[in-house]
């Protein structure tokens, strides 16, 4: 006789299980748990919007409140994915508007969203609260007007790094005077001026506003007004951080920052005028996040700022910080967890900045809680990488970009294989890795052997042969996302590891050595994968099996081939149907 | 990589024996260190300005999507560079026109005067734009305005062209009636 808990009890227990992985496991226990779980799942994350269809999701999970979708491949960020590729949110939003009247949160990343969809969102979901459009495009400020006008309970509107057709700043005025619920507003990506009086009134009547990221066009002179109206702010993104020669701007700004006792994060700082920097010193001791990656602040000014932020956990900065600034960081910021150093000049080899591998070594030594690194630099050595690896075995994300492709160890002129090998060997919990510099197949052997927790790997201008790819696909047990460009990897490795591809979210290969023949074989062997060949120039001859493909995107799916592919994408289905 | 002095055998514009500041156009497939700065849109390779005492190193091919920096970030830094006049670097500013769904971009460096700029904009948006004159008012339906460094919106034409291009952050072609009212 099987004894089981009553449904209500199970449901209550399940409500504590939040992570998708755990929920998926729960649903596999038995049929009744599967049924129970699917009715009470409230949050869905779809890492690839083409892996599943809206109807499949809706059929299985009828009571969802929060949906998160991702569209284009990551390399779309660097213009490697052509226009019109896909990632349309339209069909998702349409179907959800009918099936989920109680939907509260939509988060989209790298998707194409139209004004019509935004309008549909604003009118379909009565309790809509959170809209995050991260690196999205396809909509204009008209769509934002609809959201502002209709979403009475909106808490979060975050347009992080989206490309918005900026028709006017008047969209903000569409928030009715009775609207007071906003908690987080990020409009930093917008180009045009918003109506300042509308912004001012909105901030004044929003007591729960905790995050406010302004766009560049909000002048510094107006920032103090806003800060006085919202002293409860926790995260602030300034507009342009400079002004004409008016001393009262400085003093009122300084006073305003003094009044903000809750600020923990700062960003913005476009067009920095150094003389205004001290105005925010009063908040530095509380700062946990600081994003100065749009600010040309050089040593010693940047060092002065950093040495006042002992509680800093996350720092994004330009390479103007130089080794000296990073040394100061290592001394002052013992709680640092994440460091991102962006290049100020992407094309000059000996740019006017003294940022070398030494800066990163210092930080790896001084900041014992460091977990996540993104570092653009011009030179690196194996010994530095080995030191970093030994200093910081707790690294979980290591992304190094040596700006010149195939740059060897500048001391020994050797490849950087053993350096990166040390990283994967010592950092046992590494889940994200980006490689650069001169690398042979050897580094991939190390990665395949050691990087057992690696979830995402980015490779560029590396390797000697198919063996490199084979090591990765056969060795990295946890690998879900693999993106490769300009490497001599081809058919042999791909076809030897077809089963692996079904355990991954996606594989991107561009300017490699994969042939159309191999793509056909892959498609035939693995019906649960969509094998999409991008042929922008129209030079692909699909009848010639040895013809190399320009760009390849392979992903697992339960939704079959997608119906919105542009003409320049080749798939087996299209090929065979055109022959009939 | 060795930098071999090609000076003796280089093909140049100009008389033999004269040093030249003119840009050389070379293309190479192997990436090499260089001091070149140029806009990411450029396909051809233009060598560095300081070709005076030593021969300029072979120029680097611009690789699409490398280094892996997002366009948004690249544009911000590019915009900053346009403050300093540089060879080969475009001074791209956004242009919006009231009523048009998409914005465009123009390279201000391509033009030598307001007249040329207006002509270019008219071509782009297929409209007539006129400069305002105290006496005659607006000569057309549309008025060109620009946002300057301080964030103020200014009517085109008051300051000298050189001053204008260094302070112009973006352009907006407004409907003349709106300009008068505001």
């Amino acid at each position: 006789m099987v004894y089981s808990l009553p449904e209500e009890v199970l449901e209550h227990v399940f409500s504590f299980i939040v992570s998708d992985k755990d929920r998926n496991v729960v649903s596999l226990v038995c049929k009744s748990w599967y049924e129970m779980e699917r009715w009470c799942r409230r949050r869905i994350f779809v890492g690839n919007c083409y892996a599943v269809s809206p109807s499949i999701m809706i059929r299985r999970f009828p009571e969802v409140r929060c949906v998160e979708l991702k569209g284009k491949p990551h390399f779309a960020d660097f213009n490697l994915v052509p226009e019109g590729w896909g990632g349309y949110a339209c069909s998702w939003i349409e179907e959800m508007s009918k099936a989920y009247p109680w939907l509260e949160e939509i988060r989209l990343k790298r998707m194409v969203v139209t004004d019509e969809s935004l309008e549909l969102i604003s009118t379909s979901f009565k309790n809509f609260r959170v809209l995050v459009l991260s690196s999205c495009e396809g909509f204009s400020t008209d769509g934002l007007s609809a959201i502002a006008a209709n979403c009475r309970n909106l808490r979060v509107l975050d347009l992080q790094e989206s490309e918005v057709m900026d028709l006017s700043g008047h969209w903000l005025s569409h928030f009715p005077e009775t609207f007071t619920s906003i908690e987080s507003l990020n409009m930093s990506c917008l180009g045009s001026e918003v109506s300042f009086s509308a912004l001012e009134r909105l901030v004044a009547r929003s007591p729960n506003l905790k995050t406010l990221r302004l766009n560049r066009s909000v002048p510094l002179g107006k920032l103090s007004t806003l800060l006085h109206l919202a002293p409860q702010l926790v995260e602030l993104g300034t507009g342009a951080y400079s002004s004409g020669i008016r001393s009262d701007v400085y003093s009122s700004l300084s006073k305003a920052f003094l009044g903000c006792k809750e600020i923990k994060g700062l960003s913005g700082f476009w067009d920095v005028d150094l003389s205004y920097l001290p105005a925010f010193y009063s908040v530095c001791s509380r700062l946990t996040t600081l994003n100065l990656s749009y600010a040309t602040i050089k040593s010693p000014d940047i060092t002065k700022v950093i040495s006042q932020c002992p509680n800093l956990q996350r720092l994004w900065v330009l390479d103007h910080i130089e080794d000296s600034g990073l040394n100061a960081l290592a001394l002052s910021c013992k709680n640092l967890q994440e460091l991102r150093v962006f290049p100020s000049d992407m094309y000059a080899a000996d740019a006017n900045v003294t940022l070398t591998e030494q800066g990163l070594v210092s930080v790896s030594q001084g900041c014992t809680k460091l977990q996540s690194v993104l570092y653009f630099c011009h030179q690196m050595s194996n010994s530095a990488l080995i030191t970093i690896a030994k200093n910081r075995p707790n690294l979980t994300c290591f992304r190094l970009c040596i700006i010149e492709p195939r740059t060897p160890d500048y001391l020994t002129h050797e490849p950087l294989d053993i350096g990166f090998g040390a990283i994967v060997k010592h950092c046992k919990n590494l889940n994200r890795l980006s490689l650069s510099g001169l690398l042979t197949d050897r580094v991939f052997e190390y990665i395949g052997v050691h990087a057992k927790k690696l979830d995402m790997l980015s490779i560029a201008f590396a390797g000697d042969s198919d063996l490199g790819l084979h090591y990765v696909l056969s060795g990295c047990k946890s690998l879900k996302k693999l993106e490769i460009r300009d490497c001599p990897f081809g058919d042999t490795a791909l076809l030897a590891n077809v089963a692996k591809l079904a355990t991954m979210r996606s594989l991107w290969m561009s300017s490699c050595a994969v042939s159309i023949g191999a793509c056909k074989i892959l498609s035939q062997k693995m019906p649960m994968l969509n094998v999409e060949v991008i042929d922008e120039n129209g030079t692909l001859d699909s009848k010639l099996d040895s013809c190399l493909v320009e760009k390849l995107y392979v992903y697992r799916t339960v939704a079959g081939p997608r119906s919105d592919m542009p003409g320049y994408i080749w798939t087996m289905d299209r090929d065979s149907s055109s022959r009939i | 990589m060795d930098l071999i002095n090609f000076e003796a055998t280089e093909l140049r514009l100009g008389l033999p024996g004269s040093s030249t500041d003119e840009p050389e156009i070379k293309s190479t497939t192997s990436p090499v260190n260089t001091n070149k700065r140029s806009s990411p849109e450029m396909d051809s390779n233009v060598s560095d300005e300081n070709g005076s005492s030593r021969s300029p190193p072979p120029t680097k091919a611009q690789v699409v999507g490398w280094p892996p920096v997002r366009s948004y970030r690249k544009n911000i830094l590019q915009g900053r560079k346009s403050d300093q006049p540089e060879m080969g670097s475009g001074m791209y500013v956004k242009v919006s026109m009231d009523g048009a769904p998409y914005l465009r971009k123009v390279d201000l460096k391509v033009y030598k005067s307001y007249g040329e700029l207006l002509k270019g904009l008219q071509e782009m948006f297929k409209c007539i734009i006129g400069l305002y004159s105290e006496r005659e008012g607006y000569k057309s339906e549309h008025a060109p305005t620009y946002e300057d460094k301080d964030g103020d919106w200014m009517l085109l034409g008051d300051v000298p062209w050189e001053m204008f291009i260094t302070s112009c952050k973006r352009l907006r072609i407004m409907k003349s009636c709106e300009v008068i009212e505001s």
Side-chain angles (χ1 to χ4, degrees):
Chain A
M1 168 130 170
V2 176
Y3 173 76
S4 62
L5 294 165
E7 271 186 21
E8 299 81 18
V9 176
L10 269 182
E11 206 179 305
H12 185 69
V13 171
F14 288 174
S15 69
F16 293 101
I17 301 171
V18 167
S19 100
D20 285 337
K21 285 203 174 72
D22 292 341
R23 283 235 158 210
N24 290 341
V25 166
V26 159
S27 66
L28 292 174
V29 167
C30 63
K31 275 196 183 140
S32 62
W33 279 37
Y34 176 93
E35 274 303 306
M36 271 253 63
E37 194 282 318
R38 77 182 190 93
W39 279 97
C40 65
R41 187 161 328 190
R42 297 284 175 260
R43 314 190 78 94
I44 300 279
F45 170 74
V46 180
N48 173 6
C49 65
Y50 291 118
V52 69
S53 70
S55 51
I56 293 173
M57 174 185 79
I58 290 165
R59 196 167 61 225
R60 180 172 170 189
F61 301 110
E63 295 284 340
V64 166
R65 297 283 181 270
C66 313
V67 172
E68 184 176 347
L69 304 173
K70 292 188 180 181
K72 299 184 199 172
H74 174 239
F75 273 175
D77 283 355
F78 316 127
N79 300 330
L80 287 176
V81 176
E83 283 295 307
W85 177 87
Y88 304 108
C90 192
S91 58
W92 286 87
I93 292 168
E94 268 170 23
E95 296 213 32
M96 292 193 298
S97 70
K98 292 178 230 154
Y100 295 152
W102 298 111
L103 193 68
E104 293 174 4
E105 304 182 9
I106 294 178
R107 292 176 172 79
L108 304 176
K109 188 167 185 179
R110 276 186 222 104
M111 295 195 76
V112 179
V113 185
T114 60
D115 285 342
E116 289 72 32
S117 292
L118 290 178
E119 207 172 329
L120 192 57
I121 289 173
S122 75
T123 51
S124 309
F125 310 116
K126 298 296 168 229
N127 202 23
F128 195 67
R129 293 171 179 218
V130 173
L131 181 63
V132 177
L133 300 174
S134 177
S135 307
C136 293
E137 54 167 352
F139 60 101
S140 78
T141 42
D142 285 352
L144 299 180
S145 298
I147 296 286
N150 301 324
C151 298
R152 294 297 150 89
N153 296 312
L154 195 68
R155 304 255 197 281
V156 175
L157 179 59
D158 186 341
L159 306 174
Q160 202 179 9
E161 290 174 346
S162 289
E163 261 186 56
V164 185
M165 279 174 281
D166 222 328
L167 302 178
S168 87
H170 292 306
W171 66 272
L172 201 73
S173 321
H174 287 256
F175 282 113
E177 291 301 317
T178 49
F179 172 78
T180 59
S181 53
I182 196 93
E183 293 172 12
S184 171
L185 177 61
N186 179 357
M187 47 182 222
S188 53
C189 62
L190 294 181
S192 67
E193 270 183 42
V194 285
S195 152
F196 187 76
S197 52
L199 176 60
E200 204 179 334
R201 285 196 311 277
L202 177 65
V203 171
R205 66 177 187 272
S206 304
N208 298 321
L209 188 65
K210 294 283 193 301
T211 298
L212 179 63
R213 301 210 194 274
L214 303 168
N215 66 343
R216 200 171 179 177
S217 69
V218 176
L220 195 60
K222 303 275 194 340
L223 182 58
S224 33
T225 313
L226 294 174
L227 291 180
H228 280 299
L229 292 170
Q232 76 281 3
L233 278 180
V234 176
E235 300 277 340
L236 171 71
T238 73
Y241 206 75
S242 53
S243 193
I245 314 159
R246 289 174 52 201
S247 60
D248 57 326
V249 169
Y250 178 88
S251 53
S252 53
L253 188 62
S254 182
K255 195 156 158 247
F257 271 115
L258 266 172
C260 294
K261 307 280 187 212
E262 308 294 324
I263 287 187
K264 294 221 169 61
L266 283 178
S267 63
F269 296 107
W270 292 283
D271 315 312
V272 166
D273 179 337
L274 296 174
S275 52
Y276 287 103
L277 277 184
F280 76 85
Y281 281 179
S282 58
V283 306
C284 283
S285 60
R286 264 175 269 113
L287 284 183
T288 57
T289 304
L290 184 55
N291 181 354
L292 294 172
S293 63
Y294 296 113
T296 312
I297 311 177
K298 312 192 182 186
S299 304
D301 301 288
I302 187 130
T303 305
K304 204 152 172 231
V305 172
I306 286 172
S307 43
Q308 297 184 65
C309 305
N311 290 311
L312 211 54
Q313 292 173 16
R314 184 188 300 151
L315 177 65
W316 291 21
V317 77
L318 286 173
D319 57 9
H320 289 301
I321 191 172
E322 299 188 337
D323 289 343
S324 55
L326 291 175
N327 291 336
L329 182 67
L331 284 174
S332 312
C333 304
K334 297 304 185 187
N335 291 323
L336 195 72
Q337 293 173 19
E338 178 181 323
L339 174 66
R340 295 196 194 188
V341 180
F342 294 94
S344 53
D345 189 332
M346 275 156 282
Y347 306 109
D350 51 355
N352 304 328
V353 282
T354 325
L355 181 101
T356 69
E357 80 286 4
Q358 280 316 306
L360 186 56
V361 171
S362 298
V363 176
S364 74
Q365 203 160 333
C367 303
T368 58
K369 300 189 186 165
L370 189 68
Q371 284 177 18
S372 174
V373 171
L374 171 64
Y375 201 74
F376 283 82
C377 59
H378 294 281
Q379 69 184 43
M380 187 48 64
S381 66
N382 281 313
S383 58
L385 285 172
I386 293 168
T387 306
I388 291 165
K390 288 185 173 165
N391 282 343
R392 291 279 62 77
N394 50 329
L395 283 174
T396 54
C397 170
F398 189 73
R399 293 192 281 164
L400 179 68
C401 181
I402 304 165
I403 290 178
E404 190 58 48
R406 303 195 186 90
T407 304
D409 177 324
Y410 78 100
L411 295 169
T412 65
H413 304 291
E414 303 265 286
L416 290 169
D417 298 337
I418 53 171
F420 279 106
I423 294 281
V424 292
K425 185 163 161 233
H426 291 276
C427 306
K428 302 209 191 301
N429 289 321
L430 196 70
N431 62 47
R432 188 160 178 193
L433 178 65
S434 297
L435 305 170
S436 59
L438 183 65
L439 297 165
T440 71
D441 285 344
R442 200 99 155 295
V443 73
F444 300 111
E445 192 183 352
Y446 297 142
I447 291 172
V449 167
H450 294 288
K452 295 305 184 188
K453 298 249 178 91
L454 198 64
D455 174 273
M456 181 168 179
L457 179 62
S458 308
I459 310 172
F461 305 103
D464 307 312
S465 73
D466 270 46
L467 211 48
L469 179 57
H470 177 69
Y471 285 136
V472 169
L473 289 176
S474 57
C476 297
K477 270 190 346 208
S478 311
L479 195 65
K480 292 284 176 292
K481 286 162 283 179
L482 180 57
E483 47 185 26
I484 304 172
R485 62 163 298 172
D486 293 274
C487 297
F489 299 151
D491 301 348
T492 317
L494 202 58
L495 294 179
N497 292 282
V498 294
K500 173 67 177 172
L501 297 178
T503 68
M504 291 168 56
R505 182 188 296 174
S506 65
L507 166 68
W508 168 280
M509 291 179 75
S510 56
S511 306
C512 294
V514 178
S515 73
I516 190 83
C519 294
K520 290 179 189 170
I521 297 172
L522 183 59
S523 301
Q524 274 160 354
K525 284 194 170 175
M526 306 292 287
M528 74 291 283
L529 299 178
N530 278 354
V531 178
E532 296 181 6
V533 173
I534 294 172
D535 174 36
E536 252 180 300
N537 301 323
T539 53
L540 185 73
D541 181 356
S542 63
K543 290 189 283 298
L544 191 61
D545 278 3
S546 56
C547 190
L548 293 188
V549 309
E550 206 181 288
K551 294 175 183 171
L552 173 67
Y553 189 52
V554 179
Y555 56 91
R556 66 178 170 187
T557 179
V558 294
R562 57 183 176 114
S563 53
D564 58 7
M565 282 183 282
Y568 57 72
I569 291 188
W570 176 96
T571 63
M572 263 292 279
D573 300 308
R574 279 187 157 179
D575 193 64
S576 42
S577 62
S578 67
R579 289 206 202 145
I580 292 166
Chain B
M1 242 177 216
D2 293 338
L3 295 175
I4 303 167
N5 192 328
F6 286 122
E7 226 167 302
T9 56
E10 258 177 313
L11 291 177
R12 294 187 186 190
L13 301 172
L15 296 171
S18 61
S19 68
T20 176
D21 287 330
E22 277 144 46
E24 288 176 9
I25 316 280
K26 269 193 207 171
S27 67
T28 173
T29 50
S30 61
V32 175
N33 290 343
T34 177
N35 284 334
K36 179 172 73 79
R37 291 175 190 171
S38 73
S39 75
E41 288 93 334
M42 279 174 63
D43 280 331
S44 62
N45 302 317
V46 181
S47 77
D48 190 29
E49 302 85 80
N50 64 341
S52 43
S53 50
R54 65 184 179 98
S55 70
T59 55
K60 177 163 64 168
Q62 290 278 309
V63 182
V64 174
W66 191 266
V69 175
R70 310 197 43 206
S71 324
Y72 180 70
R73 199 171 279 284
K74 268 188 182 159
N75 292 340
I76 303 271
L77 298 174
Q78 212 57 42
R80 187 168 302 140
K81 291 233 164 44
S82 69
D83 286 353
Q84 305 119 36
E86 264 184 57
M87 283 247 288
S89 163
M91 201 185 269
Y92 283 92
V93 295
K94 283 187 185 172
V95 190
S96 61
M97 171 150 122
D98 290 357
Y102 300 95
L103 276 68
R104 303 293 301 268
K105 270 215 168 139
V106 287
D107 181 0
L108 292 179
K109 289 194 122 179
V110 160
Y111 306 103
K112 302 280 180 302
S113 69
Y114 285 120
E116 283 188 29
L117 171 63
L118 289 182
K119 245 175 97 187
L121 291 177
Q122 284 176 159
E123 288 281 321
M124 199 178 254
F125 288 98
K126 310 276 184 277
C127 66
I128 311 287
I129 310 170
L131 287 175
Y132 175 79
S133 86
E134 299 283 345
R135 204 163 28 97
E136 291 167 304
Y138 285 99
K139 292 206 180 130
S140 79
E141 258 199 304
H142 293 97
T145 64
Y146 72 99
E147 185 188 9
D148 75 356
K149 273 188 178 146
D150 300 328
D152 297 314
W153 284 91
M154 320 284 286
L155 216 49
L156 221 74
D158 288 329
V159 302
W161 173 254
E162 265 68 37
M163 194 187 291
F164 163 72
I165 58 170
T166 56
S167 65
C168 171
K169 288 251 127 106
R170 60 181 291 162
L171 290 160
R172 181 178 159 202
I173 303 168
M174 292 178 72
K175 292 209 170 25
S176 302
C177 50
E178 277 191 30
V179 176
I180 294 167
E181 277 160 14
S182 59

